[in-house]
């Protein structure tokens, strides 16, 4: 199969780049400590493999930490690396493991043999002292993300062969419409103060420059903030009805031929904060799309209609008539709100994220739609002065736990190919309660690249980790997801609080057991979870009683800040409910038409409007809801 030219993908997705000068802020002594930690985590697959201590790898890990780690986490890592560069600091963090009987009695971390450093890292992974455990997790995650994704000038990584991974180099077929949004898009990264005005006018916008204030004043019928499942649909509906619509999107625009199949460069550009955000307590890793198309651009082809029992819940219990109509998928006749708002939304003030354009945009619109997603719409509304107490609350995450099964290629009857080829989500399995008949959880497949897979793999020792990641290409990974009763809050950008309900933990336990049971039945020779102690079970030659005993031991462990010796990683790829619709302003941040109770003319069209969690992939639900809201807006604008 002929490989495609490396220059054909988008430059920012290409990878293989090296910075000559790093601006991460870590000192050379801290980098030495970081390199020593990396070596304690990774045992090379072969002698020719580039060691994790070789420059510029420590610099690249440090740069990723500085750019993507949470603020508190960066402070912790900074302090730890500084302490480890001194003997007394190493003694404080490592205890007796840094002491020798011979002079010098106490060593700094990098002076210790790698076997001793490995033992120290093991104690950190098991410690009940949460800050030290957090340091271990952050260094592990950012080291593995960097080391297993970095590429050379040929866009290859020396670890991939040992993991059985081959990058997809097939030529992308270019569709008849090469870049369908090109006619209507202005990419600020390609603009400057001298060109932006003309570019906006050429797109048909009514723009007047105000040099004294340093702004461009724009008038349009509707402005939509965000281009994801909700914003994209809302913009299309309003534009189709004859309205002049302006969409603001902070992410970049990519089409099929732009993609490189390189994991971390793609995550950096397609996900919020490069896929490196978490709840405040570190329990949940959160993934949210941040590109033109938003979540629909990174959705794993999962197009699932809103379950009937959820529609009934929303229509009856939450009294949102939108969800009780048979016309929900197209357009529906919702109840008009007769309440008069105290305020009116006049538009948006925005600035360009690229430093080339320094002037702001003052956009005056008849209708303003926030479609920033459940993580970003509430901070935008709060910072705009809206006071409804429901804004930012009721945040649901669809908690996820992952398990794995190993299917060796040489095993008779096992499946051909690799775990990273083929369709992503092809089936959905429901875990139903025998007592109530209710769905407790669902089971789906997960598709992870080598770096993401390595970063969530339990680390017990260098040798154990090496053995685990070498099975990557034949390791199937499934996840279980629950419709969470627990909820959280987001009112400031990047600050996510969430509390997992005990019922959700119980449902996750049953879902995780179903995941493992499926893989055992499919013929896996070994299965396991991502619990910190590397929980696993060898299936060959075991009895039914032994299998059931193992499954009975499976629980939904505490997260990073749990008090036990073992902990696990929780994930969220679906966020919803943080600006939910309600029949009154006490019940929700929006009315049943998706309009803010606080400001006339301000609507929300994204996952935050949903009254509760759904329990399945929410793309179709968000698109359908936004379609109905936007149709109602279009009808109202025509009438007025």
């Amino acid at each position: 199969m002929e490989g495609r030219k490396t220059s054909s993908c988008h430059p920012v997705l290409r990878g293989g780049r090296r910075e000559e000068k790093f601006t991460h802020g870590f000192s050379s002594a801290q980098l030495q400590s970081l390199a020593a930690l990396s070596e304690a985590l990774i045992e090379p697959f072969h002698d020719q493999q580039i060691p994790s201590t070789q420059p510029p790898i420590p610099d690249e890990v440090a740069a990723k930490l500085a750019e993507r780690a949470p603020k508190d986490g960066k402070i912790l890592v900074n302090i730890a690396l500084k302490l480890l560069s001194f003997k007394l600091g190493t003694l404080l963090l490592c205890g007796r493991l840094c002491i020798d009987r011979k002079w010098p009695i106490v060593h700094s971390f990098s002076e210790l043999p790698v076997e001793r450093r490995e033992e120290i890292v093991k104690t950190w992974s098991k410690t009940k002292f949460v800050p030290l455990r957090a340091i271990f997790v952050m260094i592990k995650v950012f080291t593995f993300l960097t080391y297993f994704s970095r590429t050379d000038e040929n866009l290859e990584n020396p670890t991939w062969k040992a993991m059985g991974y081959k990058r997809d180099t097939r030529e992308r077929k270019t569709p008849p419409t090469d870049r369908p949004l090109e006619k209507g898009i202005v990419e600020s990264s390609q603009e400057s103060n001298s060109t932006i005005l003309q570019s906006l006018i050429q797109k048909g916008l009514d723009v007047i420059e105000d040099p004294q204030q340093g702004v461009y004043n724009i008038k349009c019928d509707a402005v939509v903030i965000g281009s994801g499942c909700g914003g994209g649909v809302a913009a299309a509906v309003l534009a189709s009805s004859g309205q002049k619509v302006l969409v603001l999107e902070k992410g970049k625009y990519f089409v099929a031929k732009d993609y490189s199949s390189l994991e971390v460069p793609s995550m950096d550009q397609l996900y919020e904060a490069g896929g490196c955000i978490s709840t405040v307590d570190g329990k949940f890793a959160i993934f949210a799309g941040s590109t033109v198309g938003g979540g629909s651009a990174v959705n794993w082809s999962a197009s699932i209609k809103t379950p009937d029992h959820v529609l009934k819940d929303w229509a009856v219990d939450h009294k949102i008539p939108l969800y009780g109509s048979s016309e929900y998928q197209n357009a529906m006749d919702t109840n008009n709100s007769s309440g008069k708002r105290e305020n009116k939304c006049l538009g948006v003030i925005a600035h360009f994220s690229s430093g080339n354009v320094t002037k702001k945009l003052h956009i005056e619109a008849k209708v303003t739609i926030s479609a920033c997603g459940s993580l970003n719409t509430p901070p935008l509304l709060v910072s705009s002065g809206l006071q409804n107490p429901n804004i930012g609350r009721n945040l649901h995450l669809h908690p996820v736990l992952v398990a794995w099964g190993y299917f060796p290629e040489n095993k008779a009857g096992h499946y051909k190919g690799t775990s990273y080829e083929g369709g992503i989500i092809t089936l959905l399995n429901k875990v139903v309660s025998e007592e109530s008949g209710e769905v407790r959880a669902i089971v789906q497949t997960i598709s992870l690249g080598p770096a993401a897979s390595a970063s969530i793999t339990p680390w017990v020792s260098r040798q154990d980790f090496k053995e685990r990641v070498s099975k990557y290409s034949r390791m199937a990974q499934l996840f279980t997801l629950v419709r969470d009763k627990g909820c959280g809050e987001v009112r400031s950008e990047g600050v996510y609080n969430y509390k997992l309900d005990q019922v959700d933990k119980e449902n996750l336990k049953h879902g995780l057991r179903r995941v493992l049971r499926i893989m055992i039945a499919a013929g896996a020779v070994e299965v396991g979870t991502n619990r910190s102690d590397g929980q696993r079970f060898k299936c060959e030659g075991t009895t039914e009683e032994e299998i059931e005993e193992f499954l009975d031991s499976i629980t939904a462990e505490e997260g990073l800040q749990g008090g036990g010796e073992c902990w696990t990683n929780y994930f969220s790829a679906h966020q919803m409910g943080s600006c939910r619709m309600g029949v009154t302003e006490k019940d929700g941040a929006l009315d049943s038409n998706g309009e803010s109770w606080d400001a006339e003319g301000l609507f929300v069209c994204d996952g935050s409007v949903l009254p509760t969690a759904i329990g399945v992939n929410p793309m179709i639900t968000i698109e359908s809801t936004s379609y109905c809201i936007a149709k109602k807006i279009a009808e109202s604008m025509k009438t007025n």
Side-chain angles (χ1 to χ4, degrees):
M1 183 170 59
E2 185 179 348
R4 68 189 165 97
K5 296 179 181 179
T6 58
S7 59
S8 64
C9 64
H10 196 286
V12 299
L13 301 180
R14 188 179 187 277
R17 295 162 290 165
R18 297 291 181 270
E19 294 184 47
E20 293 183 5
K21 186 178 180 181
F22 291 92
T23 57
H24 47 63
F26 291 97
S27 68
S28 58
Q30 288 175 304
L31 287 176
Q32 191 174 14
S33 299
L34 182 58
L37 281 164
S38 298
E39 188 180 26
L41 288 167
I42 300 173
E43 180 175 307
F45 290 105
H46 48 75
D47 294 338
Q48 288 74 38
Q49 184 179 326
I50 298 171
S52 58
T53 56
Q54 181 172 310
I57 298 176
D59 274 300
E60 292 173 357
V61 176
K64 185 67 72 176
L65 272 163
E67 181 185 6
R68 298 301 191 192
K71 184 180 178 181
D72 292 345
K74 277 185 279 194
I75 293 171
L76 274 176
V77 171
N78 197 306
I79 294 171
L81 294 179
K82 192 171 290 185
L83 288 172
L84 291 174
S85 64
F86 298 102
K87 293 180 180 181
L88 288 178
T90 303
L91 180 62
L92 178 66
L93 292 182
C94 307
R96 61 180 180 81
L97 287 171
C98 68
I99 298 175
D100 273 336
R101 292 181 180 179
K102 297 179 181 179
W103 186 265
I105 297 174
V106 180
H107 299 272
S108 65
F109 188 78
S110 61
E111 293 172 345
L112 295 168
V114 65
E115 295 79 11
R116 194 90 64 84
R117 282 181 267 140
E118 180 183 9
E119 289 302 314
I120 289 168
V121 175
K122 287 180 185 178
T123 64
W124 290 3
S125 70
K126 299 174 184 177
T127 182
K128 295 181 182 180
F129 183 53
V130 173
L132 202 53
R133 186 187 285 182
I135 291 165
F136 161 77
V137 170
M138 279 183 289
I139 290 176
K140 172 206 165 195
V141 167
F142 285 103
T143 296
F144 291 169
L145 279 176
T146 303
Y147 188 70
F148 291 98
S149 69
R150 65 189 310 274
T151 54
D152 57 22
E153 62 277 4
N154 297 315
L155 302 189
E156 294 295 334
N157 181 299
T159 66
W160 291 349
K161 185 176 181 181
M163 298 174 73
Y165 176 72
K166 291 182 180 179
R167 185 174 65 87
D168 183 4
T169 57
R170 291 172 296 180
E171 190 73 38
R172 302 286 194 269
K173 290 183 179 180
T174 305
T177 306
D178 190 11
R179 299 178 71 81
L181 300 183
E182 197 67 46
K183 289 184 179 180
I185 203 165
V186 175
E187 297 194 60
S188 63
S189 60
Q190 307 297 320
E191 302 290 340
S192 65
N193 282 332
S194 61
T195 63
I196 186 65
L197 177 61
Q198 193 59 34
S199 294
L200 293 170
I201 292 173
Q202 286 176 352
K203 301 301 180 184
L205 290 170
D206 180 5
V207 188
I208 299 175
E209 182 179 10
D210 185 343
Q212 291 184 335
Q213 297 296 323
V215 300
Y216 298 109
N217 293 306
I218 300 175
K219 286 189 177 182
C220 60
D221 295 317
V223 57
V224 181
I225 309 153
S227 63
C229 301
V233 169
V237 169
L238 292 173
S240 297
S241 72
Q243 307 299 329
K244 183 174 288 188
V245 183
L246 174 60
V247 179
L248 302 177
E249 171 57 59
K250 68 178 180 180
K252 292 182 172 63
Y253 175 43
F254 302 110
V255 294
K257 72 173 186 176
D258 293 330
Y259 296 122
S260 64
S261 299
L262 293 174
E263 185 180 4
V264 170
S266 300
M267 290 184 69
D268 280 341
Q269 298 298 326
L270 299 175
Y271 285 87
E272 189 77 28
C276 295
I277 56 178
S278 68
T279 50
V280 169
D281 61 5
K283 189 169 190 171
F284 281 82
I286 299 174
F287 299 91
S290 183
T291 181
V292 172
S296 67
V298 297
N299 175 48
W300 291 350
S301 308
S303 302
I304 303 172
K305 292 183 178 180
T306 317
D308 290 341
H309 68 277
V310 175
L311 289 175
K312 183 179 178 182
D313 176 25
W314 292 351
V316 178
D317 295 344
H318 291 270
K319 298 181 175 60
I320 308 295
L322 173 70
Y323 299 108
S325 169
S326 60
E327 303 299 321
Y328 168 63
Q329 295 291 339
N330 299 300
M332 51 186 58
D333 185 14
T334 58
N335 293 333
N336 289 317
S337 171
S338 59
K340 185 71 176 175
R341 271 67 171 173
E342 293 182 5
N343 304 299
K344 181 174 177 62
C345 183
L346 301 177
V348 176
I349 299 174
H351 67 84
F352 293 93
S353 56
S354 76
N356 301 330
V357 183
T358 58
K359 296 180 180 178
K360 292 182 179 181
L361 299 178
H362 282 201
I363 303 161
E364 184 181 334
K366 300 171 186 174
V367 166
T368 300
I369 298 175
S370 177
C372 309
S374 292
L375 301 182
N376 292 315
T377 280
L380 174 63
L381 300 190
V382 170
S383 64
S384 299
L386 274 65
Q387 300 293 322
N388 186 288
N390 290 291
I391 297 173
R393 292 178 181 156
N394 197 49
L395 173 66
H396 293 278
L397 297 181
H398 274 177
V400 160
L401 285 176
V402 179
W404 55 269
Y406 178 49
F407 298 82
E409 195 168 15
N410 58 3
K411 187 73 175 174
H414 273 186
Y415 313 100
K416 296 180 180 180
T418 65
S419 62
Y420 55 85
E421 294 176 309
I424 301 175
I425 294 181
T426 54
L427 290 173
L428 182 153
N429 182 269
K430 296 178 182 178
V431 182
V432 180
S433 169
E434 294 181 0
E435 292 80 20
S436 66
E438 294 181 354
V439 176
R440 305 190 74 155
I442 64 170
V443 172
Q444 293 179 320
T445 54
I446 188 171
S447 180
L448 296 175
S453 182
S455 70
I456 71 167
T457 297
W459 187 92
V460 178
S461 70
R462 297 171 86 224
Q463 179 61 38
D464 178 82
F465 178 76
K466 174 183 171 180
E467 182 242 322
R468 286 172 184 267
V469 295
S470 66
K471 298 175 179 177
Y472 163 76
S473 67
R474 298 290 302 178
M475 187 178 284
Q477 299 192 69
L478 304 182
F479 68 83
T480 184
L481 175 154
V482 298
R483 184 189 181 198
D484 46 327
K485 296 182 179 296
C487 62
E489 181 177 271
V490 50
R491 291 180 62 82
S492 301
E493 189 175 358
V495 181
Y496 316 113
N497 289 287
Y498 183 87
K499 184 173 177 58
L500 191 65
D501 189 88
Q502 191 58 40
V503 172
D504 299 330
K505 287 187 68 176
E506 187 69 15
N507 288 337
L508 281 165
K509 178 186 76 175
H510 285 275
L512 202 56
R513 290 177 179 179
R514 173 68 63 84
V515 165
L516 293 163
R517 196 180 292 278
I518 287 170
M519 287 191 284
I520 292 170
V525 302
E526 188 179 21
V527 297
T529 69
N530 285 338
R531 201 171 74 178
S532 59
D533 64 346
Q535 182 182 40
R536 60 165 98 185
F537 178 74
K538 292 189 181 297
C539 308
E540 288 187 302
T542 56
T543 64
E544 284 294 324
E545 290 76 14
E546 289 171 326
I547 292 172
E548 291 303 320
E549 185 180 349
F550 167 70
L551 293 174
D552 287 343
S553 72
I554 299 299
T555 60
E557 299 288 342
E558 290 298 324
L560 183 64
Q561 292 197 17
E565 187 174 288
C566 296
W567 46 273
T568 194
N569 302 302
Y570 289 83
F571 302 95
S572 165
H574 311 148
Q575 301 85 41
M576 65 218 86
S578 53
C579 275
R580 67 180 179 185
M581 293 189 287
V583 68
T584 71
E585 56 191 301
K586 291 182 179 180
D587 301 309
L590 315 167
D591 68 12
S592 56
N593 294 319
E595 187 173 13
S596 165
W597 289 108
D598 289 340
E600 181 185 345
L602 173 61
F603 294 82
V604 177
C605 284
D606 57 33
S608 68
V609 309
L610 305 181
T612 68
I614 309 167
V616 297
N617 307 64
M619 184 179 74
I620 293 297
T621 300
I622 295 170
E623 290 175 340
S624 302
T625 300
S626 298
Y627 179 86
C628 296
I629 291 173
K631 289 287 281 186
K632 200 73 177 177
I633 295 170
E635 292 169 9
S636 175
M637 292 180 79
K638 281 185 177 181
T639 302
N640 295 332

